[in-house]
Amino acid sequence: MKKNKIIIGLVFVFSSISFVLKAQDNPNKNMMLSPKEQAIVSIAAVTAKGDLSKLETKLNAGLDAGLTVNQIKEAIMHVYAYAGFPRSLRGLQTFITVLDKRKANGIEDVMGSDASPISDERSKYDRGKAVLEELTGIPETRPKTGYAAFAPTIEVFLKEHLFADLFERDVLTYAERELVTVSVLSSIGGVEPMLRSHLNICLNTGLTPDQLQQFVEVIKQAVGKKEAKAAQQVLGEVLKDKK
């Protein structure tokens, strides 16, 4: 009887060790979005929507959640790739106002790190292609089709600027940049194929289905039920395809 208890105990110990190791292999499993990640979603969505009054509130919340000034600047700058310079510039102007008010109230916000210099000597196109391959997990070796074949210049712009100039900047992680991206796409609407692609990339960067479900809820609170419903529909299709 004593021997059996010892064996059962050892099985329990080894099972526990195995569970812990698996949890370490996938640290995001069953986790929800952090307060900082939720703030990034809200700031990006409201910036894209152009609701500057609400943006002031979201910017304050983001700083209070621990985002640095440079992280928020980076998120707002990233918005322009999907919603245009006017929305991004108005977002930055609003951020200046928020920082000035906080400073006047004696709040000293953390500036944070700036982007590291790029030492990769490959062309921007090749660097951007490599980043895209890492994001999607798909080699960029197939013949160009669709818009890339119809307008090859914009495909070059995407590789050189979006995926090299922007995604290479390490102020935000790939996952954080994808949260900015899907937030903007959900906010502006009518771009479901792009939203679907980037939700898949979100999963590739380590975000979990539970975190993406929470992302939809943050969109609902930030910009509205209509936008959240559309995002939920696309997310449902993405997750169904993964089964």
Side-chain angles (χ1 to χ4, degrees):
M1 181 67 69
K2 185 176 181 180
K3 184 177 180 180
N4 288 339
K5 288 182 177 179
I6 293 173
I7 292 173
I8 292 171
L10 289 172
V11 169
F12 175 78
V13 170
F14 284 120
S15 298
S16 299
I17 292 172
S18 176
F19 176 81
V20 171
L21 289 175
K22 287 180 180 179
Q24 290 174 341
D25 288 339
N26 187 9
N28 283 328
K29 189 175 182 181
N30 297 326
M31 288 177 60
M32 304 306 286
L33 293 174
S34 70
K36 291 181 183 180
E37 289 169 329
Q38 293 179 55
I40 286 173
V41 170
S42 294
I43 289 169
V46 176
T47 299
K49 206 70 172 176
D51 188 340
L52 302 183
S53 177
K54 183 180 286 188
L55 179 57
E56 284 199 28
T57 302
K58 299 302 183 183
L59 289 168
N60 276 292
L63 290 165
D64 292 340
L67 287 172
T68 68
V69 173
N70 279 339
Q71 285 175 321
I72 293 178
K73 284 197 296 186
E74 201 73 26
I76 296 173
M77 288 190 292
H78 193 94
V79 167
Y80 99 80
Y82 300 94
F85 275 110
R87 292 294 195 215
S88 185
L89 294 177
R90 292 294 284 140
L92 290 171
Q93 290 167 342
T94 302
F95 193 26
I96 292 171
T97 300
V98 167
L99 291 173
D100 287 344
K101 288 180 180 178
R102 288 171 69 91
K103 188 173 182 179
N105 289 327
I107 302 173
E108 291 294 331
D109 292 299
V110 178
M111 184 61 63
S113 301
D114 206 342
S116 302
I118 301 299
S119 58
D120 194 327
E121 295 182 354
R122 290 178 297 174
S123 69
K124 282 206 297 186
Y125 184 89
D126 287 338
R127 293 186 347 242
K129 184 171 74 170
V131 169
L132 181 58
E133 288 176 337
E134 186 175 353
L135 289 170
T136 63
I138 301 172
E140 287 285 311
T141 56
R142 293 173 295 182
K144 305 302 178 189
T145 59
Y147 71 82
F150 181 69
T153 302
I154 201 168
E155 193 269 341
V156 173
F157 290 165
L158 283 169
K159 294 289 196 308
E160 291 188 348
H161 184 46
L162 177 58
F163 293 109
D165 286 339
L166 290 183
F167 270 87
E168 277 189 315
R169 292 173 60 83
D170 57 2
V171 179
L172 298 177
T173 66
Y174 284 167
E176 288 168 340
R177 288 192 181 278
E178 282 302 325
L179 283 175
V180 172
T181 301
V182 293
S183 299
V184 175
L185 296 177
S186 298
S187 184
I188 63 177
V191 288
E192 285 74 17
M194 291 75 186
L195 179 58
R196 185 176 294 107
S197 295
H198 282 281
L199 286 170
N200 273 298
I201 292 176
C202 282
L203 293 170
N204 290 341
T205 63
L207 293 166
T208 67
D210 284 345
Q211 288 173 318
L212 292 181
Q213 293 288 2
Q214 188 184 9
F215 149 77
V216 173
E217 184 60 30
V218 176
I219 289 294
K220 180 180 177 180
Q221 299 300 321
V223 293
K225 295 179 180 179
K226 177 183 176 182
E227 292 82 356
K229 182 179 179 180
Q232 181 64 65
Q233 182 175 345
V234 177
L235 176 59
E237 295 168 358
V238 167
L239 296 179
K240 183 178 179 181
D241 290 342
K242 292 292 183 182
K243 292 181 179 179

